[in-house]
Amino acid sequence: MAQDATRLSQEQSALREALNRLAEALSRPLLPPPRMSADVYEPPGGTTYVVEIPAPGLRSDEIKITVSGDMLTVEFQPHSTTPDDGRTYLVQELSRQPMARVFTFPTAIDPHHIQARLEGGMLRITVPKADGIPSHVIRVEEA
């Protein structure tokens, strides 16, 4: 009889701990994984595209850019997830996780003349259109 009571108490304790862990997990906000945000635009003149991506705290050797066809792939590959300088973070919101994003363009691009510059935590990639052909608007006629 005493063994049954002890076993029942242990099972109740284990169930209570499991419910506490579940409640704790459900109380945390469900956030999406980090996403690389960017601005992509065509500057005046229309012979290039510009991709601007915030890259705070990253160095140029932590960024990989590849191009294939009309697609540009940008990858962030941070070397270390935690700076080894003795900091104790109260809040740490800057992502130090690897992430990647693929950008496609509406016209052919010139992969041999793409330029990338990292300055002040902003990655700016200039992507020339193939043959430097500016975009143009096609007028639609009414029948």
Side-chain angles (χ1 to χ4, degrees):
M1 187 68 107
Q3 287 180 337
D4 290 339
T6 301
R7 186 174 47 86
L8 180 60
S9 176
Q10 289 173 343
E11 288 175 359
Q12 287 175 339
S13 179
L15 180 59
R16 190 176 302 113
E17 288 176 25
L19 287 173
N20 285 339
R21 284 193 306 269
L22 177 61
E24 183 180 328
L26 291 175
S27 69
R28 286 187 229 124
L30 299 175
L31 300 175
R35 176 170 159 72
M36 187 181 293
S37 58
D39 287 339
V40 181
Y41 60 92
E42 187 176 336
T47 59
T48 63
Y49 300 107
V50 176
V51 180
E52 292 180 336
I53 305 169
L58 291 177
R59 298 183 312 266
S60 61
D61 63 335
E62 297 174 306
I63 300 170
K64 179 180 177 185
I65 302 171
T66 55
V67 64
S68 176
D70 67 345
M71 295 187 305
L72 180 81
T73 303
V74 179
E75 297 177 63
F76 289 171
Q77 302 170 339
H79 294 299
S80 162
T81 56
T82 308
D84 200 14
D85 59 5
R87 295 178 186 178
T88 301
Y89 286 93
L90 301 177
V91 177
Q92 186 176 11
E93 296 179 342
L94 294 178
S95 177
R96 297 295 294 166
Q97 298 177 359
M99 64 178 80
R101 184 159 174 196
V102 176
F103 299 92
T104 57
F105 300 93
T107 62
I109 58 176
D110 180 356
H112 303 290
H113 294 96
I114 293 174
Q115 296 177 339
R117 182 175 181 84
L118 181 62
E119 185 174 354
M122 182 67 73
L123 175 63
R124 182 183 173 123
I125 306 167
T126 303
V127 183
K129 294 180 181 179
D131 300 324
I133 300 170
S135 65
H136 62 282
V137 177
I138 307 298
R139 180 168 290 149
V140 178
E141 297 179 19
E142 290 195 37

